[in-house]
Structures are given as structure tokens and as C-alpha cells.
Amino acid sequence: MNVNTMRRGLIVGTAVVSLALTMAACGKAGDKKSDTSGTTGTSGGAKSVGLLLPDTVTARYERFDKPLFEAKLKELCPDCEFSYANAAQDASKQAQQVNSMITKGVKVLVVDPQDSVGIKSSIQAAVAKGIKVIAYDRLAQGPISGYVSYDNEKVGELQGHALLDAMGAKATPQAKIVMINGDDADPNAAQFKAGAHKVLDGKVNIAYEQSGLWKDTVANQKVTAAITQLGKNNIAGVYSANDGMAGGIATALKGAGISVPLTGQDAELTGVQRILAGTQAATIYKPYKPEADATAEIAVDLLQGKPITSVADTTATSGSGDKVPAHLIGATAVTKANIKDTVIKDGLYSTGQICSAEFAAACKAAGIQ
């Protein structure tokens, strides 16, 4: 759906991000079954932390962010109470979930906002009850105590460079590309877009640009319209702000008989597999464990009344003009050439998961199996 210096370079998550850890984290949550309709967990106590994530269509949130955050929280604070809810892309539902967290009496609330502007009044209500609020992945407006995410404008730059690299000699100022951005309600989407434009403007002709709302179906419709408007033989590449939308775009391109470079983001399993199959050129790998771990560390520091500056080593400015202590993490572009040295090396996915029967030949050709 976040800014600052480029000095953080490209960081790849450590090898401890493993599926085993993810499974273990899920196991710890086994007695508190999660759903997307409301908050789950026990009533708030002196050490109670809530986590609100924005949607289930983006694979990372349920598969990685939630279990990794919970596992780190339990490691740092074994007697902490944990509550969780997912907004399922519904901003009004997320506002209700904030109210539920307030009623539960959580002391620290971690929020990845579905609507960074609309959530402001809910955050103000939480803070008025003495709750410390941390913005996770997306910077919400309002009185936030801390923020953890990625250098999102840099992510957009990586996406832009990946598309130009994949286009090669065909990347000329006359070459027409289609650009499908994220949801305007997500401040990250604006930063991905800004970073990509910084790289692409003047190098190619962005002939069609629309928001795909982070939905594969919407992205499919937009690209289908672009093909009709521009002509199938006049599209030289497609920028997709994430892998979820890239899936819908790849389907539209295939249906029209078009084979051009397509980029994405989030290193979703299906995105990595499309890279191997040749229907997507690149994705952006943002290591989830460092983000979840840093957020859990800040949450525990806030619970204990400690300063968070040992983790929040920079600042970010929200859309409402508030300066927030922040920790920003780098990312790296993933292509067929470095799948083995990134998402497999870090344990994000196993070779077996990526190289299912459908992709076994492609894996072998890429030197993965």
C-alpha cells in the first residue's frame, strides 16, 4: 500500500528467517485462533500488545508478519498478552478493531493502516486512553510513538531500475510502458510511485498510469484497458507496484499474446515462480523478520517505559506533518539470477516450495535444482 536516506543500502534478511520459525510462531498462537472479523486474544493487562494488519490478499501479512511479530514479542516478553485482527481491506472494520483494542485495554497497539488518513481519529482515541501506537509498514497519521518500515522511495527506485534493466536496449524515451500503482489510501504507494518515476521519467514513455488498488482483479482490468488504448504491439513493459497485482497483469498480458518485462514487489511465492517461468522479470525482496523484530523491540521498550532510540535510529514525517521516531530497512531486487542467493538463502521459501512440478524444469534451467 516512507522515506529517508539511501545510506542503508540493500539489506537482505538474515538466514534466521525460516519457515521453521514461521511454523513455530504459528504454533504459539494456536490457542488463540485468528480471523479477520475482529480482534482475537486475551483481555488487556499491564503487558498487553495488539497488532492490526490491513488485508489478507497480500500474502506476507498472514504468512510472515503476524507470526514473526508474535514470536519475537513472546521471546522478549514471555508474559505479554497478544491480541490480533486483520481489516481485510476494510478501513471501517479497522477503525472498529482499534475500538476493540481500546476496550481490551492493550497498552501498546501496532497498526498497519488500511487508510493512513482515515485511521487518524482512531489513533487519537487510543492515545487519549494512554495507549502507545506504533505504525507498522505504513505510516499512519496522528500521534504515533514509533514507526518501522522500509525505505519505500528507494524500493520504487529499485523497481524502476529493474524494469529498465529487463527492457535493455528497448528502454528508450519513445518506448511506451504501462504503470499500475498501489492504493492511494496507502502512503507507501505514493512513495513507491515517486521512486519509480524518479528512475523512469525521461528514460521511457509512461503512456498509461492508473491505480490497481493492490487488487489483482483491478490491475487486470486496468492493463486490459491499456492494451485496448495503446495497442498490443505498442507496449514495451509494465510496472506493477506489487506481486499481487502483477499476477492479474500477467494474466492479461498472456491473454493478449504480449510478452514484455513486468516488475513487482514483495517476493511473493507466485511472483518468484513467475520470474522463473519468464512471465515476470523481477520483484523486490523486503525481509520481513527485521521489520517484525524491530517493531516488537519497540513495543516492549514502550511497555517498559524505556526510550526507543536504540532501535528507532531516524525519523519520518507523516502526512499530517508529525515527525515520528523511525527505523527504516533496505530491500533488494530479485531476478532469476539471484533467487538462490536471496529468498532461498534466507529461508523465505524452500527450494521444494518454489520448484513444484510445474516449475521444476525452470528451476533446473536456473540452477536452483
Side-chain angles (χ1 to χ4, degrees), residues 2-5 7-8 139 147 309 312-318 322-328:
N2 311 327
V3 262
N4 254 310
T5 88
R7 66 181 173 80
R8 286 169 183 81
L139 182 50
Y147 167 56
T309 50
D313 50 3
T314 187
T315 61
T317 303
S318 72
D322 297 299
K323 284 200 174 295
V324 182
H327 179 64
L328 302 179

Side-chain angles (χ1 to χ4, degrees), residues 31-268:
D31 59 343
K32 296 178 272 186
K33 297 192 183 293
S34 329
D35 58 40
T36 60
S37 60
T39 59
T40 60
T42 55
S43 297
K47 295 182 179 180
S48 54
V49 177
L51 172 66
L52 299 180
L53 295 180
D55 66 66
T56 56
V57 296
T58 305
R60 57 168 287 190
Y61 292 126
E62 295 290 323
R63 179 166 186 160
F64 296 112
D65 296 83
K66 186 261 184 180
L68 287 170
F69 174 83
E70 184 177 10
K72 187 64 175 181
L73 178 68
K74 293 298 185 182
E75 174 191 322
L76 297 172
C77 182
D79 57 342
C80 273
E81 297 170 358
F82 175 69
S83 298
Y84 171 70
N86 189 301
Q89 285 192 300
D90 186 333
S92 61
K93 177 181 286 188
Q94 189 167 67
Q96 294 168 1
Q97 291 167 346
V98 173
N99 287 335
S100 295
M101 291 288 186
I102 293 172
T103 301
K104 279 176 175 283
V106 301
K107 298 301 183 286
V108 175
L109 180 59
V110 178
V111 181
D112 188 337
Q114 172 61 27
D115 182 339
S116 64
V117 178
I119 199 72
K120 182 177 179 179
S121 61
S122 296
I123 290 172
Q124 289 172 328
V127 172
K129 293 293 186 180
I131 299 170
K132 300 292 186 181
V133 180
I134 304 169
Y136 181 78
D137 202 66
R138 302 170 181 172
L139 182 50
Q141 295 191 14
I144 301 294
S145 293
Y147 167 56
V148 181
S149 188
Y150 303 90
D151 189 338
N152 292 308
E153 189 165 322
K154 180 65 175 177
V155 168
E157 292 177 28
L158 289 171
Q159 290 177 303
H161 284 300
L163 181 58
L164 294 180
D165 289 346
M167 292 174 68
K170 294 181 179 179
T172 67
Q174 293 75 40
K176 294 180 179 180
I177 71 162
V178 174
M179 191 167 184
I180 305 299
N181 299 309
D183 190 340
D184 291 337
D186 176 358
N188 289 7
Q191 291 172 333
F192 300 143
K193 176 181 173 179
H197 269 287
K198 186 183 294 185
V199 172
L200 296 173
D201 289 353
K203 301 289 181 58
V204 290
N205 174 11
I206 301 173
Y208 182 98
E209 182 174 6
Q210 294 284 324
S211 167
L213 300 176
W214 298 131
K215 296 180 180 179
D216 59 346
T217 52
V218 175
N220 178 286
Q221 293 164 2
K222 298 292 187 181
V223 170
T224 298
I227 293 169
T228 300
Q229 178 178 316
L230 302 176
K232 62 175 289 184
N233 296 321
N234 296 320
I235 296 174
V238 181
Y239 165 96
S240 173
N242 78 348
D243 289 344
M245 295 192 301
I249 293 168
T251 300
L253 294 174
K254 182 179 179 181
I258 300 172
S259 179
V260 296
L262 166 66
T263 62
Q265 179 188 185
D266 288 333
E268 291 190 1

